Amino acid sequence: KVTVRVTKAIPPTQIVLNFVGKEKTQVTYYSNGTKCKEYGQRTIASASLILREVGSSDLLPGVYSFEFRFRLSGLLPSSMNGVNGHDNGSLWKIQYKLGVTATNRKGVARKQGERYVVIAARGLPDTRIPARIPPNSVDIEGLFNKKQGVLSFGAYVKDAHVGRGSSIEIYLATRNHSTATIHRVECKLTEEIKWKSSNYSNTDKRVISILNDVELPGILRGKQSKSEVEEWKRSGVDLRGIYRDLELGANKFTLPIPWRCRDSFQGSLITITHQLKITIFTKVLVKNPSVYIPVKIGFPPVNSATNQQSEQTEMEPEIYHRPSTAAEPDIEVYAEPVNVEVAGSIPPPFAPASRLGMYPQYSMPRLPDTDAPPPMATAIIVEDESTIQAPLATATAEAFVLGGLPIYTDVQSSLLPSAPPAPPSTPTITALLEEMRYSISDYQIILQKMEDQQWMQLLSQMSPDDFGNILAHVNMDSDQPRVAETLAQCIGPRFTCAHCRAAAQNGSDWNISAIVQTLLPYCVDIVDNHQVLRSALSEWDQTVCAQDFDNLLVLQQRKKEK
């Protein structure tokens, strides 16, 4: 709630509570030996809530209490910030602020108080996104560039959505067709943060979890004989064998995901990515082969079917005071404990008590090397028996304006929220792609468009090229399969192998097989044109999707026979 203390009678005044979330960057650079800075900011979300209308009577001296409740959008990213470890002048922030504004009948507004609040993002989508990485084959060379054969290996994770504080299961398969011995396997999870201004950018990267020597009994560590290497040269890489081993899961290990991870995020100014790097070390003097698996980290998925109850989180209060131009302030604003209503709760063992204390430390630039959640913050409540209590004011999630245009300056400033471009009056694919450039969730934009009859008509008639173009503009790679499926359902009986082919050509390399496996059941011409679709896939993706093609063709054949 917001407590307002009026020290003397003032004319009729409207009191408004504003909520603003932004991504903000500061990049340091040198020009002719002079240290300079550039700033960038972009509104993520904004909303306003009227606590008191202007009315016709003066605002008399006294203490007024305005309780409010914001139903936050489930799309908001977590509060986070960081700095460049090598340059104290470069930093980035994702932050949210509540501010109170008093406006008189003439329309003159004056800020009265503000405070920052910490937001935790909703849990990851409760959908499995597999990541099957094509095998990496490396020529093994010893001293004097003497060739010793080829080492091939692939990796697979069943779900690229990873909850913080949990573990990720990783599967590995190798084919060692060389005379070199596999010495050890290393797996590490890296976090890379990139932030930019108009002309400059900065990067910070760190390792947040590592296994130096993975124990995998199924990995052949012994070297091959020269005759076995020669025999392999005639047969080539055994992709089917590697895929079969991955599916059987013989060589499985787990990597813990620490609490100190930040959320994966794709914004206009800030990008936070996480990637697994798996390296096989041999006992020869060569560059060791590696594969990379992108993952999306956040709070654990919320089971939408069983856990829809919202929860309330109390933030520790802070008091801000902005005096007026008069010698004695007319209004004093106290920002008391704020009830932040989270869209969806998190199941055990991630209980509210554990989450509460984590957020302030989670948003710090450098986090402690412990995985134990910090202690819960203590809330302080300001009570006054003479307080005049106003009715509860509520803002729904629909009251939020999401997204905005990036704004760049060469001086630090407090700019007003920048709204996203106005929705076009006539639906077009070009207009949709422009909206996706400034959105915070492209998947949510697609869902919103499908609620409009005009947009539904446009999307249901889209060409394969438009289908692929939309998929290429999706800001989070892990969202591509569900965006593709949503659009395929919209196209319905017009969805063909050509649409699926366009999706495969525009999807990210690591999840093309997942996209194709998702879309195959929607292809109405799969019997006649499956070869057209297969020809657009790599040999590895064809291997992964072979069973799906065969099962679907058999099913269609049975339908014809009936």
Side-chain angles (χ1 to χ4, degrees), residues 50-68:
I50 297 176
L51 302 179
R52 182 187 189 274
E53 295 286 0
V54 175
S56 57
S57 59
D58 290 351
L59 193 60
L60 300 177
V63 178
Y64 299 80
S65 178
F66 301 92
E67 291 191 1
F68 66 92

Side-chain angles (χ1 to χ4, degrees), residues 469-537:
N469 204 8
I470 291 175
L471 203 63
H473 279 72
V474 175
N475 53 3
M476 293 297 291
D477 292 348
S478 58
D479 281 343
Q480 288 180 335
R482 62 175 182 166
V483 169
E485 184 173 24
T486 301
L487 292 174
Q489 293 171 347
C490 180
I491 296 172
R494 294 188 61 258
F495 192 85
T496 65
C497 288
H499 289 87
C500 190
R501 177 188 174 97
Q505 292 172 330
N506 287 276
S508 296
D509 292 341
W510 67 271
N511 65 0
I512 288 177
S513 59
I515 294 172
V516 173
Q517 289 173 321
T518 301
L519 295 179
L520 275 180
Y522 297 96
C523 297
V524 296
D525 60 341
I526 188 67
V527 175
D528 298 326
N529 294 317
H530 66 94
Q531 291 295 348
V532 175
L533 174 54
R534 289 181 194 250
S535 65
L537 303 179

